[in-house]
Structures are given as C-alpha cells and as structure tokens.
Amino acid sequence: ALRAGVDSTEHGTFTNDETFRLYKQSGAYYVATLLAPAAALADGKRGALTAAQFEKARQAAGNAEKSFARAIREGVKIAYGTDTGVSPHGRNAEEFALMVRNGMSPAMAIRSATVDASELLGISARAGTIVPGKDADIIAVEGNPTQNVRLLENVGFVMKHGRVHKLGGQRQITAVD
C-alpha cells in the first residue's frame, strides 16, 4: 500500500524495516489504532475469544505497541485513529493514554488528533487548529491534558461549528498552550 502511494495506513501492526523506509520515503501517515488490539486482548482475557483469536490478539497488541514506539523514533508522521467498533463506542479517547504509554508526549498525542489528522484528511484549512475563520470545533476538559492525557476521557464541553453541544458545570474555561 505504501509503495502504491496511499496517504495513510491504519493499524500497521506488523511492520518491518522496509515499512519504515517507505513511510519516510512516501510521507504517508501511520494511524496506529492501538486501542483496537488492546480491546481485542481484553476480550480474550475475559474469555470472549477462541484460543486462536486470543493468541492473535496477544501478538497484535504487542506488535502494535512496538511498531508505534518505533514510528515515533523513526520520525514517521502519525495521525490519531482508534478503529472504534472493535472497542466499545465512547471509549475512543483511551487511545491517547496508549499513545503516551508507548512513547509519545501528551502534547504530541493531542496534536496527532487535531493538527495532524486534519492535514491527513485534507481539511486543515477549516479544522485542526483554533484560529479565526475555522470551524470552531472545540472540546474542553477540567485540568491540563498535557499533564494528564487521561483527562480527555471525560470531556465536559463540546462545541461544533461554533455551537455549544455540551456544557458541563459552570466552571470558567481557559485555554492551554
């Protein structure tokens, strides 16, 4: 797929030296979806998979984390993605903690879901950063997610196209660089 010129690959669970050479050569994004194999592994641990499925999930989870850590070391472009559906809907923000656990800073993990994902999708002219004239798609959490990325798992404020859809509590909201 990388040789054929794709813009991104999703999962990238089983990578090798050639994979990383092609990422760098092509400029393609790596969308790791670490939550998918982690969720499958959790299903296996609770007995929801056959023995063969559980073994595949175990291998996939370990390889996904190793591939992700190497992608960071190699300077591969990374965009956020979860393959939600493998994991229960509503838990997709858990991807941030997996990214951080495997070597990405919280700020870079957040960037992968905003700036970098909008660039990959070709919508950076209208989304991905908070500047005048863009869509005003904003979330807010209580606390500083660059200090504790798990705060993103409990979003208290949601704005889409400048319209507030969720306003939790009455606390003042401040921006974080």
Side-chain angles (χ1 to χ4, degrees):
L2 290 167
R3 277 192 293 276
V6 298
D7 293 327
S8 69
T9 64
E10 283 60 41
H11 306 304
T13 304
F14 298 98
T15 57
N16 58 33
D17 292 340
E18 182 183 15
T19 307
F20 289 104
R21 182 184 60 75
L22 289 169
Y23 274 123
K24 290 166 75 173
Q25 178 184 324
S26 69
Y29 282 84
Y30 175 46
V31 182
T33 68
L34 297 171
L35 188 55
L41 183 61
D43 285 345
K45 287 179 179 178
R46 65 177 176 80
L49 302 177
T50 66
Q53 290 170 323
F54 182 50
E55 177 58 22
K56 182 179 178 185
R58 189 187 61 71
Q59 289 178 13
N63 283 330
E65 292 185 356
K66 289 176 189 168
S67 292
F68 182 78
R70 181 169 178 189
I72 294 168
R73 288 191 310 272
E74 297 272 344
V76 171
K77 295 192 304 186
I78 296 173
Y80 184 93
T82 66
D83 198 13
T84 292
V86 175
S87 60
H89 287 282
R91 292 184 44 199
N92 49 318
E94 293 174 16
E95 183 82 12
F96 287 111
L98 293 169
M99 295 170 90
V100 169
R101 185 177 82 197
N102 286 286
M104 188 173 264
S105 73
M108 291 308 293
I110 294 166
R111 180 187 168 93
S112 78
T114 54
V115 174
D116 299 333
S118 70
E119 288 176 2
L120 168 59
L121 296 172
I123 61 170
S124 60
R126 69 173 203 267
T129 56
I130 302 172
V131 298
K134 289 198 177 181
D135 284 351
D137 296 341
I138 302 167
I139 65 154
V141 297
E142 191 169 326
N144 184 345
T146 65
Q147 299 299 311
N148 178 4
V149 78
R150 296 212 73 146
L151 294 172
L152 294 170
E153 296 172 22
N154 187 23
V155 174
F157 174 87
V158 176
M159 178 184 284
K160 176 78 176 150
H161 295 294
R163 183 169 164 249
V164 175
H165 290 270
K166 179 179 180 183
L167 181 59
Q170 298 301 315
R171 301 180 68 100
Q172 180 178 354
I173 298 170
T174 58
V176 176
D177 289 325

